[in-house]
Amino acid sequence: MKTFSELAEWLCKKKKMASAEGLHLTLVFFNAFLSFTTIVLNIITMQALRKTSSLPKTLKTLLLSLAVSDLGVGLLVQPLYVAFLVMEIKQNTNSTAYYTVIEARRFQGKTLVFASHFGVFAIAVDRFLAIQLHLRYQELVTHKRVVAVVISFWVFSASICVLSQLYDNNILRAVIVAVCVVTTGLLYCKIYAAVRHHTNQIHALQVQQATQNEDMANAARLKKSSLATFYVYFVYLVCYLPLYCVIFAMTNSKTPLLSHLYHITLTLVFLNSSLNPLIYCWKMRHIRQTVMDILRNIFAIFAH
């Protein structure tokens, strides 16, 4: 017969397993739904970005790249994560398929996450240069150069993940993420200061009314696009920082609570891929109008 302490330990273990299973089931349903919404929202957003002619080609390319990484999360990473959770619930953790799913999810997830980090950073750099360079911006920041930058950071993201799979270098990944997050934050501080200074200059100038109106219109457009991309950065911080805090805590100790928090904060990171399209629609009027036109056309097709 079991002693009282053994029975208490067994009951405690069963309670923890039931708690973990309940959390896993909740996350399975939530991530399955989130995967669908991420795919739909980002496909519509990509189509809207392509059709929106008022956006600069450089900014449009960077936003499209970010949308591609978000689409990849919903199309590849989340289904693999759902499969991983289902295998955990069924306790099918010794099969080859289980380890294949883990490795595939890690590689694809890390590649897309780094592409998102670099994408958010590149958008901040682009808006900073647009404000600082003024008329020289179109001369120096060309569409071809931006495309080359986008291709290079996708290749770099995949290379980092290959190296991390071979050497498991967490320090390198942490340094890259920290540099991207901090530098992007500093750039937005500079953007805010530059926009404020530029607006004050325009109001102070005593020039012809037409020129003044044109300068103010350009400043307003830059301010709006910079504010919209700042919201992308802010939501990105809110979604990613809790996961990195949990990962840092897990380097010292791995408790059941931290394990639960890891899965919850990881789902929060996936949620970021659904929120970005909503931010574009909310803060960028031309994209919102194009999205509404696309949705009206879709509803009209189904209505007939």
Side-chain angles (χ1 to χ4, degrees):
M1 289 182 64
K2 293 182 178 180
T3 63
F4 178 77
S5 59
E6 288 174 337
L7 183 60
E9 186 179 346
W10 180 79
L11 287 172
C12 184
K13 188 177 179 181
K14 281 291 183 181
K15 186 178 179 181
K16 287 179 180 178
M17 287 176 64
S19 174
E21 187 175 322
L23 176 63
H24 279 30
L25 276 172
T26 303
L27 292 176
V28 163
F29 287 111
F30 184 72
N31 277 279
F33 172 75
L34 199 60
S35 175
F36 173 76
T37 57
T38 300
I39 293 168
V40 172
L41 288 173
N42 280 286
I43 287 175
I44 293 173
T45 299
M46 289 167 68
Q47 184 67 6
L49 285 168
R50 285 178 58 253
K51 288 187 173 183
T52 305
S53 57
S54 58
L55 276 179
K57 279 189 175 182
T58 50
L59 180 59
K60 188 188 294 189
T61 301
L62 293 171
L63 291 175
L64 276 170
S65 175
L66 190 58
V68 168
S69 63
D70 289 336
L71 178 62
V73 169
L75 202 59
L76 301 172
V77 181
Q78 279 186 285
L80 287 171
Y81 181 61
V82 169
F84 162 78
L85 291 175
V86 170
M87 289 180 180
E88 287 269 314
I89 293 169
K90 292 183 176 180
Q91 297 184 0
N92 186 17
T93 56
N94 293 320
S95 64
T96 306
Y98 176 76
Y99 292 105
T100 303
V101 165
I102 288 176
E103 291 303 314
R105 180 179 64 85
R106 280 179 180 171
F107 179 77
Q108 293 174 0
K110 288 174 184 176
T111 302
L112 293 169
V113 162
F114 276 111
S116 296
H117 287 321
F118 293 136
V120 172
F121 170 70
I123 289 169
V125 172
D126 175 75
R127 293 298 84 197
F128 176 74
L129 293 176
I131 288 171
Q132 289 291 326
L133 297 176
H134 301 299
L135 297 176
R136 293 184 63 209
Y137 169 77
Q138 292 183 350
E139 178 188 343
L140 296 176
V141 185
T142 63
H143 182 240
K144 287 183 178 179
R145 288 175 180 173
V146 171
V147 170
V149 168
V150 168
I151 293 171
S152 65
F153 72 57
W154 273 96
V155 172
F156 188 48
S157 298
S159 302
I160 293 171
C161 294
V162 170
L163 289 173
S164 66
Q165 293 287 100
L166 295 174
Y167 301 106
D168 196 25
N169 195 335
N170 291 323
I171 296 175
L172 174 64
R173 296 201 301 270
V175 168
I176 291 171
V177 170
V179 168
C180 284
V181 170
V182 173
T183 308
T184 304
L186 291 173
L187 283 171
Y188 276 113
C189 290
K190 291 277 190 181
I191 288 169
Y192 173 78
V195 167
R196 193 169 182 180
H197 175 69
H198 189 53
T199 305
N200 291 338
Q201 272 189 329
I202 290 170
H203 283 297
L205 284 174
Q206 298 297 322
V207 293
Q208 292 181 357
Q209 188 68 31
T211 306
Q212 188 175 355
N213 288 341
E214 186 180 350
D215 287 343
M216 289 186 72
N218 290 332
R221 281 195 293 270
L222 282 173
K223 185 178 179 180
K224 285 180 180 179
S225 64
S226 300
L227 183 62
T229 56
F230 171 75
Y231 275 102
V232 172
Y233 170 68
F234 177 75
V235 173
Y236 151 87
L237 281 183
V238 171
C239 291
Y240 275 87
L241 285 184
L243 175 65
Y244 291 136
C245 291
V246 171
I247 290 173
F248 178 75
M250 289 176 73
T251 56
N252 298 321
S253 62
K254 293 184 179 181
T255 63
L257 175 61
L258 285 175
S259 179
H260 293 343
L261 287 174
Y262 171 79
H263 288 292
I264 293 168
T265 53
L266 184 61
T267 301
L268 184 62
V269 167
F270 295 152
L271 177 63
N272 180 243
S273 297
S274 287
L275 294 178
N276 282 336
L278 300 178
I279 296 170
Y280 305 152
C281 291
W282 174 40
K283 300 305 295 182
M284 297 183 177
R285 180 172 56 86
H286 297 293
I287 293 178
R288 182 169 64 250
Q289 289 175 345
T290 309
V291 168
M292 294 303 293
D293 290 340
I294 291 171
L295 292 175
R296 274 194 290 267
N297 291 334
I298 292 172
F299 291 140
I301 291 169
F302 281 107
H304 290 296

